[in-house]
Amino acid sequence: VSDPVSDALAQLLEETSSVSGGEVADYIPELANADPDDHGIALVSVLGRTYTAGDASTPFTIQSVSKAFVYALAVDEHGLEVVAERVGFEPSGESYNAISLEEDSGRPANPLINAGAIVTSALVPGDGPAAQRAAVEAGLSAFAGRDLAVNDEVFRSEVETGDRNRALAYLTKWSGALPGEVDDAIEVYVRQCSVMVTAEDLAIMGATLANGGRNPRTGEQVVGEEAAQAALSIMATCGMYDHSGEWMVRVGLPAKSGVGGGIVAAQPAQFGIGVYSPPLDEQGNSVRGVAGLEALSREFRLHLLAHPDEPRSPVESSRSDDDGHVVALRGEIDFIAAEQVVHELETLGADGLTIRLDLSAVTRIRPAAERLLAATAEDLAGSRCTVVADDPSGVVEQRRTARGGVLPTTTGSGR
Ligand code: GLN
């Protein structure tokens, strides 16, 4: 069965299948076996619906895409501040396996380069590497909503050829960033990179971050909102290695790539996307994956910082009736909508007038907007004008202003 979203994804694959260039990674010998023509994409909405095209269920190793999710697990376990003592936040401007330690603190620059990811893996809860390995596999599986397996050939292949990663781990141990032993951390890290996923898995994992840490398929709260937000933030600034700045300008979505050929991207509160195509560019990012996500972002205006259309007025009508004045609002009330309501109220605010805000067609009030409306009601009370909200569906959450007041309501007492 076709649907408009999958059709758009299929068309995108077709357009980008002609993009050539790049090399399949072979520095981990097992990776060289990947089929360079494999090409798949999947999108999962935060409501859990899935759309796919091409080789969306072909398995490959997650590699560095895992780093963002393991960072979320570590932050969820210890809190951001504890993790921040050992791993930094800044893009390194260097390749993924660079020796990037901050001079004064000895922290790796960020958790998405190998040095930082190895330290992050060592922060996963568990007594010893076997328990930590299990925790990582369980955590990644929870993000994907199914039991993910490890590719033992890739694991062994990378352990055998992983001297550079061991060297990075020794440096972080020497600088004090790495807790525990080098071999233990490497075992957990390499194991995590050898977990098998599909483009569809990556899309669900991305959707889980986009959904505040709750897997939209299983309903499981995998990590808290704060950890999901931290992971998305570091993906936005460091997710594509030395291509992260250009990526943010061209695509404008938090993302993470891996040398297996996978890329995950997410649009907060909307969806996650997974793309798979093994040939890599010089930075180690999938050539067709980058091209596809660039095209997708351009075509559907997905850039998070794109200028939205002019704010529409939330005021549906404003009229006098027997009891005073009714201002009917509609849609979602964010800051810029509330600002327009404040202007309307201040224009109306006269001695003794009662203004009713009809919220029956309001879908949601953002915290800042509610506080702004409540503070305006407080101000107008000073000139003996009463503002009261009719809130039949309970969108008002009774958030307090700086002076301690709440937006007065006649019906519905908040949720
Ligand atoms: N396991 C790989 C490594 O450590 C991951 C690198 C990557 O995907 N960029 O070299």
Side-chain angles (χ1 to χ4, degrees):
V1 272
S2 87
D3 66 78
V5 182
S6 299
D7 289 349
L9 295 178
Q11 196 184 337
L12 185 86
L13 279 195
E14 204 177 297
E15 281 163 21
T16 48
S17 63
S18 59
V19 174
S20 59
E23 300 280 344
V24 175
D26 60 2
Y27 74 101
I28 301 170
E30 254 324 289
L31 291 183
N33 299 333
D35 182 344
D37 294 327
D38 279 351
H39 197 189
I41 186 165
L43 184 151
V44 173
S45 75
V46 295
L47 299 178
R49 296 192 182 94
T50 302
Y51 309 91
T52 60
D55 306 312
S57 44
T58 301
F60 54 94
T61 53
I62 188 168
Q63 297 298 342
S64 285
V65 179
S66 64
K67 295 168 178 173
F69 298 95
V70 174
Y71 183 63
L73 294 172
V75 169
D76 201 50
E77 172 71 17
H78 302 284
L80 190 61
E81 300 317 322
V82 169
V83 176
E85 283 167 18
R86 297 180 180 278
V87 191
F89 300 99
E90 305 306 332
S92 68
E94 292 179 290
S95 70
Y96 64 85
N97 57 11
I99 302 168
S100 249
L101 300 188
E102 291 172 359
E103 247 178 65
D104 46 347
S105 66
R107 301 182 304 183
N110 70 66
L112 304 185
I113 53 170
N114 287 10
I118 292 165
V119 173
T120 309
S121 300
L123 293 173
V124 168
D127 202 3
Q132 286 183 307
R133 264 164 57 165
V136 167
E137 282 164 42
L140 293 177
S141 296
F143 271 112
R146 72 179 183 98
D147 279 333
L148 299 174
V150 166
N151 183 322
D152 279 305
E153 284 75 46
V154 173
F155 174 66
R156 271 195 299 275
S157 185
E158 186 166 349
V159 167
E160 276 161 25
T161 56
D163 285 332
R164 188 176 172 110
N165 282 333
R166 267 186 289 274
L168 291 173
Y170 271 109
L171 281 173
T172 60
K173 179 160 195 238
W174 165 80
S175 75
L178 182 75
E181 295 308 317
V182 164
D183 286 339
D184 294 351
I186 289 293
E187 185 179 326
V188 180
Y189 167 74
V190 175
R191 194 81 186 168
Q192 130 198 350
C193 290
S194 314
V195 165
M196 303 287 282
V197 290
T198 64
E200 185 174 335
D201 290 325
L202 291 187
I204 299 169
M205 297 171 83
T208 301
L209 290 181
N211 195 35
R214 183 186 296 276
N215 184 314
R217 279 264 193 85
T218 63
E220 183 184 350
Q221 190 76 45
V222 181
V223 293
E225 278 179 26
E226 201 200 336
Q229 181 180 318
L232 288 170
S233 307
I234 208 79
M235 287 161 69
T237 51
C238 309
M240 304 297 283
Y241 307 116
D242 200 17
H243 183 67
S244 298
E246 183 165 348
W247 175 268
M248 198 58 203
V249 172
R250 290 192 193 279
V251 181
L253 296 174
K256 183 74 204 86
S257 61
V259 292
I263 300 180
V264 67
Q267 188 168 56
Q270 303 286 321
F271 53 75
I273 301 182
V275 197
Y276 172 54
S277 167
L280 309 178
D281 62 20
E282 249 127 63
Q283 282 100 4
N285 299 323
S286 164
V287 172
R288 286 178 180 160
V290 169
L293 286 165
E294 265 183 35
L296 195 74
S297 175
R298 210 180 313 118
E299 176 149 346
F300 295 103
R301 275 178 71 92
L302 303 180
H303 199 300
L304 285 179
L305 303 179
H307 178 56
D309 298 326
E310 292 296 313
R312 288 187 61 213
S313 173
V315 178
E316 190 165 60
S317 65
S318 179
R319 58 185 195 285
S320 307
D321 70 2
D322 300 343
D323 307 322
H325 199 94
V326 181
V327 178
L329 304 182
R330 64 180 166 211
E332 176 167 329
I333 311 298
D334 55 10
F335 168 79
I336 206 67
E339 191 193 38
Q340 295 175 81
V341 179
V342 168
H343 180 75
E344 177 75 15
L345 293 175
E346 281 170 349
T347 310
L348 289 168
D351 245 10
L353 185 64
T354 295
I355 304 172
R356 295 207 317 284
L357 281 179
D358 177 357
L359 302 184
S360 50
V362 166
T363 51
R364 173 156 64 163
I365 305 187
R366 295 258 170 208
E370 189 184 320
R371 289 181 57 177
L372 188 52
L373 294 179
T376 306
E378 280 176 330
D379 287 347
L380 290 176
S383 49
R384 284 183 294 123
C385 166
T386 306
V387 177
V388 57
D390 270 328
D391 184 22
S393 48
V395 290
V396 174
E397 301 208 13
Q398 314 272 312
R399 292 181 195 271
R400 300 209 169 270
T401 67
R403 277 171 279 167
V406 295
L407 184 63
T409 53
T410 51
T411 44
S413 50
R415 278 171 289 191

